[in-house]
Amino acid sequence: MEGIITPLTSGLGDMEANPWIRADAGPPPAMMSPSQGTVAPQHHESPETGSPATPLMPTPSEKLAHAGRVVRTVILAKVPQMVRDRKYHLRTYRRCMVGSEMVDWLMDQSALVHTRMQAVGMWQALLEEGVISHVCQEHQFKDKYLFYRFRDDDTGMGSMPSTGEKKECEEELQDTLVMLSQIGPDAMMRMILRKLPHERSVDELEIIYEELLHIKALTHLSNTVKRELASVLKFESHARAGTILFNQGDEGTSWYIILKGSVNVVIYGKGVVCTLHEGDDFGKLALVNDAPRAASIVLREDNCQFLRVDKDDFNRILRDVEANTVRLKEHGQDVLVLEKIPANNHIDSDEHTHFRYSVMAGTPEKMLEHLLETRVDSRWNDEPTVNADTFMEDFLLTHSVFMPCNQLCPALMAYYHAEVRTGPDQELVDYALANKKRVLHMVQQWSRIVGDAFIESKTIKAFLEELCLAVSEDCQTWPELKEDLAALEKLMSSIPEPDGDLPVFLSLTPSSILVPTIGWRDNSNGDAKPVSTLRKVRSRASISGTLRRLPKELSEEKQTRRRRIKPSDENIFKVYFADHTYSTLRLAISASAEETVQSTAEKLCLGEDLVLCEVKSTGERVVLKESDVSVTTGLSLNGRLFIAPREHLDSLTPLPEQEGPKQSTCATIELMSSREMAYQMTLYDWELFNCVHENELIYHIFGRHKFGKITSNLDLLLRRFNEVQFWVVTEMCLTPQVGKRVQLLRKFIKIAAYCKEYQNLNAFFAIIMGLGNIAVSRLSQTWERLPNKFKRMFAEFESFMDPSRNHRVYRLAMSKLQPPIIPFIPLLMKDMTFTHEGNKTYYDGLVNFEKMHMISSTIRTIRHCGSEPFNFDPPPVVKNIQEVRNYVRSLNVIDNQRTLTQLSHKLEPRRS
């Protein structure tokens, strides 16, 4: 092998110029008004660079000032001894509080406050707007014996609250704490960033690093670079719109990332060429090229906040990355890029290095070779490191993106048969044997990591047969392979034969959702036996552990036990025409839209130029691509498939049944136990979750038409979220009596609470988002009559769903849960979409393996959630278990937002 190792010339990722930057930029612009796209000099100001204890704004916002009054009043009403004169070092400080006592008090007030750090963030939110302050203006808020006082007490305007004020503020306290808990994480982040870099603790650096993982401008950087950035980033804020951050032609001194707000990019002679928003960056090109600024940056709004990397730190990180990154070249072309990173622990005690090499990019063939030669070894498998290397797992989980099975299997066979032609005879024998063992060991790991997708692939089955034959022949020359041959034969024996005539039914529920079931037949002794035994799910727990009911109910549940939908499963569905007549088709799930059109045309002798189209309940028409597969599972909740000539698409209208139900099922819901409903919903969602294979997420994100693979199981899980969400809105909007709506509202909040208890976060989010839908949230008469206890519960649930800082509250809570968990699926899909769209798959012909690392990380999260069986104790047995079970599995909904809003206005007309 010809190989040359050279340093990487640019280690901070894709340094391409932004489209608005011109290399031949002219002189600084003339000074005109910001509205004309140029710069007003009177607004040029220095950034906020004072003490970290200095407020970010001269006066508190109305919201935070009110929050401070509420908190101060309640403290004076309940624990007045917290606010008193204190002596320290022979000096008296008037009417102040102790930081650690303030944290204790806040944690006692609400279940929302889980940690002392969270409480610190809530107090810091008040401090950074000047509502509270350190008595000497020297410290940010700290959980220590430091003195702080309220703004009113500091200015001498504070007074004892009246009885009426005390009562009013006590009622408002919980809402105030919910609001502070929502903005606390942002305040904590700003507090850390305003510290000098050398003052940040390890935990604080980790908080910054986790934040950087979700900033759009940094997605192309390696995790090592992000950790370096976490230690040097500085915080900068500006109060007024129109402020000039820098002028075109200025020397480049910093790279900026927008944390909050937006800026205009102004180029001489062109005016405003674009606007940059939160998550965007600017100023990097001038540092990379050591050139003047190519444009001016003007603040577009008040109170903009930035992350800043100064030039010296930027260049140091660049040098460090260059020193720790190497390229392997063959025939003058890059084939592998490695990054040298610290290892917490190494495998071999005789090995003195404290570093390992992580793959950043490479050709598929060279990455496979590197994997076989560095990761497939007994020491890697039998004695893994504490800081586990995930290269093999990441490669096998994502190989379908860059090296599908029809390329990977021949490459493995070629490596298995590889030989060298020169060298001592014993070395030749050892080399050949090592290659064969590596391939066999990797196949075992591949089966373990990928699971069902491995044993169901026809390409892999043919490869295993060829490999088994080759190993059988080689055992005569290398007896050492006999043990590996036995393991390979055992693996092949676990691969099932094709289903053949197994009666698998895909039937349609009233909402046209596919429900795969197992065909059953009775034995002569009358016992029900399955036609085909369900295979145990590899990395997910079998759902059989969830079905722990009475024998009669158990047999009923068996009859509809869900199994994973396969491409070969037959699907019976309807295709409608413009006059609302229909034709019933029977095709494989994997059938494309083109095949569906052809089958319909042949069956009914239709003309040419036909297209398959989804007509939604709103009347919207979505024309399907010819390459789209598993089209029936990808429909919207009340969507239907229509077929028509392309020129007649405008004549397609929704079916009457697509409008959804006309009456509420409130009376039925009232008779059902809230806990039982939540439990049955969780059982059903757990079945759906367990049927999803990780590959479906990759197919969904990268485009299933590119792979020709189905994502039906994932489609049903995503659809379920929307179904539950619209079910809540539908029931609320179809209940005419306000008293009944209040009872229903209480019911939904209780069901959400039980779903959260069962760690069914997908259903929990769906219910709370349904209650937050504008058609429900505007029902003020209903919400006003809701008891305060449920109002507080709902406020807590909303804070749990707070989307700020990329759902930081939810992610923190998730990190503390143990499986089984049904995670918030739409957020996981958003994470993968963000990773995919923010990172190129290929750079200069090399696979961007940093992107594969990030995708695999999300997949590991999903695997972790399903790694244990569903083992929550069922609620006490009630008489209508089967009724509850059937109800939650067949929800009828209105999915037309306009219709729901109209119904809402009929219930409670807008007040004049």
Side-chain angles (χ1 to χ4, degrees), residues 560-720:
T560 55
R561 184 183 301 171
R562 178 173 296 276
R563 71 153 180 83
R564 180 174 295 159
I565 299 174
K566 300 179 184 178
S568 59
D569 288 342
E570 288 191 330
N571 180 18
I572 302 174
F573 60 99
K574 297 175 181 178
V575 177
Y576 292 87
F577 307 100
D579 60 356
H580 289 185
T581 59
Y582 64 86
S583 175
T584 303
L585 299 182
R586 181 173 182 170
L587 296 173
I589 280 286
S590 59
S592 65
E594 182 181 18
E595 291 175 289
T596 303
V597 171
Q598 289 177 352
S599 179
T600 308
E602 292 172 2
K603 181 178 180 180
L604 301 177
C605 299
L606 301 178
E608 298 180 353
D609 198 27
L610 298 173
V611 293
L612 192 64
C613 172
E614 177 191 358
V615 177
K616 300 184 179 181
S617 61
T618 59
E620 180 186 354
R621 306 172 191 91
V622 180
V623 177
L624 302 176
K625 299 176 183 177
E626 291 184 348
S627 58
D628 286 342
V629 296
S630 58
V631 292
T632 52
T633 56
L635 298 175
S636 60
L637 289 177
N638 290 340
R640 296 292 185 270
L641 284 177
F642 280 73
I643 193 167
R646 190 176 298 274
E647 63 272 16
H648 294 162
L649 285 177
D650 291 343
S651 64
L652 301 181
T653 58
L655 305 172
E657 67 187 52
Q658 290 182 251
E659 295 177 4
K662 301 296 183 183
Q663 293 183 337
S664 169
T665 58
C666 177
T668 302
I669 296 175
E670 285 181 354
L671 299 176
M672 296 180 181
S673 158
S674 300
R675 181 180 285 276
E676 185 66 40
M677 290 187 75
Y679 184 79
Q680 291 296 339
M681 289 174 71
T682 302
L683 284 181
Y684 184 52
D685 293 353
W686 182 251
E687 292 177 19
L688 291 172
F689 179 59
N690 269 280
C691 286
V692 177
H693 192 277
E694 296 90 347
N695 282 354
E696 293 189 51
L697 289 103
I698 293 176
Y699 301 151
H700 181 91
I701 297 301
F702 284 83
R704 56 189 175 189
H705 63 278
K706 296 180 181 179
F707 302 90
K709 302 289 187 179
I710 70 167
T711 59
S712 297
N713 300 287
L714 178 61
D715 291 341
L716 296 187
L717 183 59
L718 292 172
R719 180 191 178 101
R720 176 63 173 179

Side-chain angles (χ1 to χ4, degrees), residues 335-337 359-364 366-367 842 845-849:
V335 293
L336 193 64
V337 181
V359 175
M360 298 177 67
T363 63
K366 186 54 63 176
M367 288 194 298
Y842 293 93
L846 301 181
V847 177
N848 176 14
F849 206 74

Side-chain angles (χ1 to χ4, degrees), residues 764-814:
F764 167 79
F765 268 75
I767 294 171
I768 299 303
M769 289 178 72
L771 294 177
N773 186 288
I774 184 61
V776 178
S777 62
R778 64 165 301 278
L779 299 174
S780 55
Q781 297 174 35
T782 306
W783 286 96
E784 286 169 0
R785 295 178 60 175
L786 185 69
N788 288 334
K789 172 186 175 182
F790 289 92
K791 287 181 180 177
R792 288 194 294 271
M793 286 176 64
F794 183 72
E796 291 180 13
F797 293 162
E798 282 193 312
S799 69
F800 186 78
M801 293 173 52
D802 176 28
S804 66
R805 288 290 166 261
N806 197 27
H807 293 270
R808 183 197 297 276
V809 177
Y810 164 76
R811 294 181 192 277
L812 179 64
M814 268 287 293

Side-chain angles (χ1 to χ4, degrees), residues 17-39 244 246-250 263-276 282-283 285 292-298:
N18 286 327
W20 49 267
I21 293 181
R22 295 172 53 209
D24 58 344
M31 302 304 180
M32 298 187 295
S33 69
S35 63
Q36 293 174 306
T38 53
V39 184
I244 306 168
F246 54 73
N247 274 314
Q248 184 174 346
D250 289 351
V263 299
N264 285 329
V265 180
V266 184
I267 293 181
Y268 174 69
K270 290 188 175 182
V272 176
V273 293
C274 75
T275 299
L276 302 177
F282 55 88
L285 195 67
R293 297 294 192 187
S296 298
I297 299 293
V298 185

Side-chain angles (χ1 to χ4, degrees), residues 145-191:
Y145 191 77
L146 295 174
F147 299 157
Y148 299 88
R149 65 166 66 98
F150 284 101
R151 179 185 177 90
D152 290 347
D153 295 322
D154 196 41
T155 58
M157 299 173 61
S159 60
M160 289 300 295
S162 65
T163 304
E165 289 175 332
K166 291 179 181 178
K167 183 176 180 180
E168 181 182 350
C169 289
E170 287 174 7
E171 292 176 353
E172 292 185 34
L173 179 63
Q174 292 305 318
D175 290 339
T176 299
L177 296 183
V178 168
M179 183 270 291
L180 290 175
S181 69
Q182 292 172 346
I183 64 176
D186 289 350
M188 173 66 75
M189 180 71 178
R190 287 188 292 268
M191 181 180 75

